[in-house]
Amino acid sequence: MKALELQGLEVAYGAVRALKGVSLEVYPGEVVTLLGANGAGKSTTLRAISGLVRPRAGSISFMGEPLTRLSPVQIVRRGIAHCPEGRRVFAGLSVHENLLLGASGRRDRGIGEDIQRMFGLFPILLERRNQAAGTLSGGEQQMLALARALMSRPKLLLLDEPSLGLAPLVVRSIFGTLKALKAAGTTILLVEQNVNLALELADRAYVLRTGQVALEGQAKELQGDERVARAYLGGAA
Amino acid sequence: MKYARLVVALALIGLLAGLGPHVLPEYWVRVLIVLGINIILVSSLGLSNGFTGVFSLGHPGFVALGAYVSGILTLELTKKGAYLPDLPGFLAGVQLPFLPATLIAGVFCALVAVVIGIPLMRLSGNYVSVATLGFLVIVNVVLVNAEQFTRGSRTFTGIPPYTDLGWVAGWAVVTLLVLSRVAYSPLGRAMRATRDDPIAAQAVGIHILPARLMAFALGAFFAGVGGALYGHYLVSFSPATFYVAMLVQQLTMLVLGGQASLTGAVVGVSAITLLSEVLRNLERGFSLGSLQVPAVFGASQIALGFIFILVMVYRPQGLLGDRELPLVTGGRVAKGAGPVYKDTVGGGRT
């Protein structure tokens, strides 16, 4: 069964059409990356999936069930976690509270254990656990945003530009963690500007251009394919 | 430790209520009563404005409703006949004791808050501020025009003087206990999350509207209770008592103390109340040894204004920012769940 399937998804912000019929699919256990220039519609696609914007047309289904009519909260509870662009940690709350909030939709007893797991994954967060999240460095905030998303025990993780504005070394370390998550079987839909890193991690890729899928294929095959570069530069794919 | 807050609270009430009126001069008893009422009003304002990020300007509207509701419910029947001859039957015939009247005033305000909050709490930022200001204006106009209930813009008088230091201390402690319990619970954490980032809050699965509505309604409940206490302290008041001047005073106390801190609300209220009392006495002129300082009327207001400016320049987050005494967070900080700043007034961020 497909984990996620988008068909003919259209989203508009007022008169601006951000997505003009995007179709894509993600299978369980797969890492799929969504590439494209600024304004191509990558973030909008993720926001539509997690219910933060309402699509004008088209369908989204998750594990065979339609998502289009659900609220963001219901969608999180179905098992989709969105790690938004620009990190968006709760600046005035402590690291520990941020992690607890990631488990807002959960009522089980495993939350404390999962927090310890996150501290194992990102030891720096353990050191900073009582610190206000707004005082963390950019890289630490990205780790916190990722850990917070994982706290919901997602079946599908939506990641929006985890490398944005971070030093190369920090980016390496984040992608190292993503590799470990992939090896553990996490299904990920990754939006990324850093094409090489994204294609290295992903199984498959879609390239968006002005709200449409311009190109898709196996990540291995798209590495070094000049059509990817051309899609970025706005030429014919 | 588990009962530390309760013990401290009971000791405080007992001390104030039992000993206060006997030991303290009348003047200080009155200062303490107003201080306690303002603690109730300002800390309840902080729940929406500071913890939830819904910067309401409508708080005095709830204070007014609380004062009038409790006033109408407790007025002696003979006085009702004289002052409010046109009251509808069921109100004309009731005379409730203080506690039930106060509770009804609080619940009434909470219900009003839910009704107006359902549309208003969808707004954010400056929009919600202007909209709640609209609520304050509407309440004022309604009170002025609902003459059969309120005597209109004339003074509403004859209210029994029930408010004493014991009631005020008791309610202030209940207010702070409930608010600290809520603000540092999972619900309070959700409130603070919607304040810091509404989009991310939704993305982790928090319903924004209920979280904001809870904060607004709970704040309105205590505003109503505080309003009832204030009404029975003043004994006579008019709609103008609960208007822009009151709003400005509450906001100043809250922002000065630190919006996202209950300790801050208490510090802000105490600082401004005590300072204005001291300054007011000083401005009448005093002698220091051979030095004779003449009376300079209005100087206290100027000095207060300067203090506000200085605090905002050097500590824009207020005296306490979001720090709390460990007592307020109830030891939940130790587990790492609350703000970590254990230092109090004047300490820097780590």
Side-chain angles (χ1 to χ4, degrees), chain B residues 320-341:
Chain B
L320 269 83
D322 60 1
R323 293 178 196 81
E324 294 280 16
L325 289 174
L327 194 64
V328 176
T329 52
R332 268 155 287 181
V333 172
K335 290 179 208 152
V340 70
Y341 313 109

Side-chain angles (χ1 to χ4, degrees), chain B residues 40-308:
Chain B
I40 296 171
L41 299 181
V42 173
S43 59
S44 60
L45 178 64
L47 187 65
S48 63
N49 291 33
F51 285 90
T52 317
V54 173
F55 201 88
S56 166
L57 301 179
H59 213 53
F62 294 116
V63 182
L65 292 177
Y68 275 96
V69 165
S70 176
I72 292 170
L73 290 174
T74 54
L75 206 60
E76 280 173 40
L77 294 183
T78 49
K79 287 185 179 166
K80 265 187 188 165
Y83 295 133
L84 301 169
D86 302 323
L87 267 188
F90 70 101
L91 281 177
V94 289
Q95 188 195 340
L96 293 180
F98 193 27
L99 184 62
T102 309
L103 287 170
I104 291 173
V107 170
F108 179 76
C109 288
L111 290 177
V112 171
V114 169
V115 171
I116 66 159
I118 287 172
L120 292 196
M121 292 301 112
R122 293 168 202 276
L123 307 171
S124 43
N126 301 335
Y127 309 109
V128 79
S129 301
V130 173
T132 47
L133 187 62
F135 164 72
L136 175 58
V137 173
I138 291 170
V139 168
N140 188 263
V141 172
V142 167
L143 289 176
V144 168
N145 287 288
E147 293 209 10
Q148 63 181 117
F149 295 97
T150 65
R151 291 171 54 83
S153 53
R154 285 175 301 164
T155 306
F156 185 79
T157 191
I159 299 149
Y162 288 143
T163 302
D164 60 18
L165 204 49
W167 279 110
V168 171
W171 271 113
V173 164
V174 168
T175 306
L176 290 174
L177 279 176
V178 171
L179 291 182
S180 63
R181 189 76 213 176
V182 171
Y184 296 99
S185 70
L187 175 63
R189 201 185 300 131
M191 289 173 181
R192 285 176 285 141
T194 64
R195 170 198 68 194
D196 281 0
D197 195 325
I199 299 206
Q202 278 182 292
V204 299
I206 292 168
H207 291 285
I208 307 263
L209 185 64
R212 287 184 175 168
L213 206 54
M214 275 298 293
F216 193 56
L218 191 60
F221 173 83
F222 285 112
V225 167
L229 290 169
Y230 196 44
H232 291 274
Y233 164 75
L234 291 175
V235 181
S236 51
F237 48 79
S238 72
T241 314
F242 314 93
Y243 211 35
V244 177
M246 176 181 268
L247 171 66
V248 171
Q249 189 193 38
Q250 289 174 354
L251 288 178
T252 314
M253 288 171 166
L254 181 67
V255 172
L256 193 89
Q259 289 184 58
S261 161
L262 293 168
T263 320
V266 175
V267 167
V269 170
S270 310
I272 292 186
T273 309
L274 298 178
L275 259 178
S276 27
E277 291 304 323
V278 168
L279 288 173
R280 192 161 58 198
N281 289 332
L282 283 183
E283 98 184 338
R284 294 192 191 124
F286 57 93
S287 56
L288 240 169
S290 58
L291 185 73
Q292 202 67 32
V293 179
V296 188
F297 293 105
S300 69
Q301 296 300 309
I302 294 177
L304 262 185
F306 263 113
I307 291 170
F308 297 161

Side-chain angles (χ1 to χ4, degrees), chain A residues 47 52 72-73 76-77 82 88 90-94 96-97 100-102 104-105 129-132 135 148, chain B residues 189-190 192-193 195-197 199-207 322 333 335-341 349:
Chain A
R47 293 166 69 92
L52 295 171
V73 175
V76 180
R77 297 196 177 166
H82 187 168
R88 288 177 174 274
F90 301 115
L93 278 68
S94 71
H96 186 254
E97 285 183 303
L100 284 172
L101 283 163
S104 294
R129 59 181 298 192
N130 289 332
Q131 207 166 311
T135 65
R148 185 183 64 188
Chain B
R189 201 185 300 131
R192 285 176 285 141
R195 170 198 68 194
D196 281 0
D197 195 325
I199 299 206
Q202 278 182 292
V204 299
I206 292 168
H207 291 285
D322 60 1
V333 172
K335 290 179 208 152
V340 70
Y341 313 109
R349 286 193 172 228

Side-chain angles (χ1 to χ4, degrees), chain A residues 5 14 214:
Chain A
E5 184 173 23

Side-chain angles (χ1 to χ4, degrees), chain A residues 193-236:
Chain A
Q193 289 269 13
N194 189 327
V195 178
N196 292 332
L197 267 178
L199 289 177
E200 219 174 275
L201 177 74
D203 300 305
R204 287 189 306 114
Y206 292 85
V207 181
L208 288 186
R209 201 182 53 198
T210 58
Q212 284 168 311
V213 175
L215 189 64
E216 59 175 288
Q218 297 295 317
K220 290 261 163 345
E221 292 164 15
L222 290 176
Q223 274 176 325
D225 188 325
E226 30 178 274
R227 287 179 303 167
V228 175
R230 256 188 279 149
Y232 267 81
L233 296 172

